[in-house]
Amino acid sequence: MRMRSPVVLMLIILLALSLTLPGCSGSRNSQAKKPGPVIGQKPQAPGALSRFLTDLEQIIAAVDSKYKSGNKPASLVQNTKLEPEKSSEQEKTSTAQTKSKSKETGNQSKKSQSGSQSSNWSKEDQTLKNMHNNWNMLEPEAVKAGLSTSKRTQFEDRLENLTAAVAQRNPEIALEAAIELYSSYADVVEVFTSPVPPDYFRVKYEAMAATLKASQGQWTPASQHAASLREYWDHLKAQAQGADQSIISRTEFSVQDLEQAIKKQQVELVMLKSEILMNNLKNLKNEFVLRQQS
């Protein structure tokens, strides 16, 4: 039997490879092109998340107003707002109370004001019911998205603390509880895809907590919150690329101004600078929302 030459054998091998390799290569390429699941992508925030925030901010605005009018003398402190949003219903209530006060004098005026503060909690009661309902809708989605057991428990504990404080008709304790719940709200936002980053809510929490402690004359905790405010603001500022630079700049200066007011331990100044910061943060939040829509 005559042996085939090496050249013939090489041609046979190349022909065999040319018939088999394209099929294998095509198979591999087709597998590579198949879209796989996106790992690490967070689910979209459900509507109950934003509804809960709306109610929480309404609670903060309402009890902050009660706290200042019930515990502070008439001054700049009483006329500043911790939460810039204020509903039309609250405006009507405030106007009615002002007219009523102007018509009464002496002890009758004081009794009327005291009675109004102790009995006019129906709005907060209803808002709390809404918050509990929205949390019931939100909780399974948050757990599914990755909210840890410890953070979920902390959230529920703080919601219960707020409920108890409102039931006691104690504005100061209710304000403290609502602000602490605001901190836990940031933890829930973190497990979802949201136009407003969690650090925004942490910045706002630290500012509110620092302001409250300053109003209570607790300057050491106020300074600690101010330091955390600066840290979270630096994180948030880095995430605000593309936002209106004038808003970022105004927010930056208002953070510094609040820090300085706390260092000087001047309550009136703290309240004024805090209100300015809150308004700047509100504008910055709108920038995040607009960026998401564009």
Side-chain angles (χ1 to χ4, degrees):
M1 179 177 173
R2 190 173 60 178
M3 299 293 292
R4 292 193 178 116
S5 68
V7 174
V8 174
L9 289 173
M10 182 62 69
L11 290 173
I12 293 172
I13 293 173
L14 291 175
L15 179 62
L17 290 174
S18 68
L19 293 174
T20 58
L21 286 178
C24 295
S25 176
S27 175
R28 285 197 299 268
N29 289 339
S30 63
Q31 290 177 358
K33 291 178 181 178
K34 289 181 180 178
V38 179
I39 299 175
Q41 183 176 8
K42 298 177 182 179
Q44 288 292 328
L49 184 67
S50 61
R51 292 195 298 270
F52 188 95
L53 176 64
T54 299
D55 288 333
L56 178 56
E57 290 182 338
Q58 286 181 359
I59 285 276
I60 291 174
V63 297
D64 177 55
S65 178
K66 283 181 169 64
Y67 166 60
K68 287 173 180 173
S69 63
N71 295 278
K72 301 292 180 183
S75 64
L76 284 173
V77 172
Q78 188 172 338
N79 295 321
T80 56
K81 298 187 291 290
L82 189 60
E83 177 57 52
E85 292 82 7
K86 191 172 184 179
S87 68
S88 59
E89 182 67 25
Q90 289 172 327
E91 292 283 0
K92 291 177 182 179
T93 301
S94 177
T95 302
Q97 289 178 344
T98 301
K99 290 180 179 179
S100 176
K101 186 176 180 181
S102 65
K103 294 179 181 179
E104 298 176 359
T105 56
N107 293 333
Q108 290 182 348
S109 176
K110 293 180 181 179
K111 288 180 181 179
S112 175
Q113 185 179 2
S114 175
S116 175
Q117 290 171 4
S118 63
S119 62
N120 187 21
W121 287 78
S122 59
K123 184 177 177 67
E124 287 84 345
D125 290 337
Q126 183 58 52
T127 303
L128 266 175
K129 289 181 182 179
N130 296 339
M131 291 169 69
H132 280 276
N133 286 330
N134 281 314
W135 172 240
N136 180 249
M137 298 175 65
L138 173 62
E139 185 177 8
E141 299 297 324
V143 171
K144 184 178 179 181
L147 183 66
S148 68
T149 301
S150 60
K151 290 182 178 180
R152 177 169 62 91
T153 300
Q154 185 181 65
F155 186 98
E156 290 182 334
D157 287 344
R158 288 174 173 176
L159 179 57
E160 291 172 3
N161 291 340
L162 174 59
T163 305
V166 170
Q168 295 170 8
R169 303 321 198 206
N170 189 315
E172 184 173 5
I173 296 177
L175 183 57
E176 290 177 344
I179 290 174
E180 290 304 307
L181 180 57
Y182 203 93
S183 174
S184 288
Y185 179 83
D187 295 331
V188 179
V189 173
E190 195 164 26
V191 302
F192 293 108
T193 298
S194 172
V196 184
D199 282 336
Y200 170 87
F201 301 102
R202 295 189 175 108
V203 165
K204 191 170 176 179
Y205 158 72
E206 297 295 349
M208 291 190 295
T211 303
L212 177 59
K213 291 303 179 184
S215 74
Q216 296 169 332
Q218 300 184 36
W219 294 106
T220 298
S223 298
Q224 293 169 346
H225 283 295
S228 297
L229 167 63
R230 162 56 58 183
E231 180 181 352
Y232 284 124
W233 166 244
D234 288 340
H235 296 164
L236 181 62
K237 184 170 56 174
Q239 300 171 63
Q241 299 299 325
D244 188 330
Q245 288 301 309
S246 63
I247 294 177
I248 296 176
S249 180
R250 289 197 297 267
T251 309
E252 170 79 23
F253 281 110
S254 60
V255 167
Q256 295 176 3
D257 289 345
L258 180 58
E259 289 177 310
Q260 290 300 316
I262 290 173
K263 286 181 180 180
K264 294 178 180 179
Q265 299 189 2
Q266 296 180 8
V267 176
E268 303 282 355
L269 190 59
V270 168
M271 296 300 163
L272 289 172
K273 297 303 183 181
S274 175
E275 186 175 62
I276 293 171
L277 174 56
M278 292 302 166
N279 282 309
N280 285 331
L281 287 174
K282 179 183 176 183
N283 292 331
L284 183 59
K285 180 182 178 182
N286 292 336
E287 286 289 306
F288 279 112
V289 173
L290 288 173
R291 186 175 67 178
Q292 178 74 12
Q293 295 173 348
S294 61

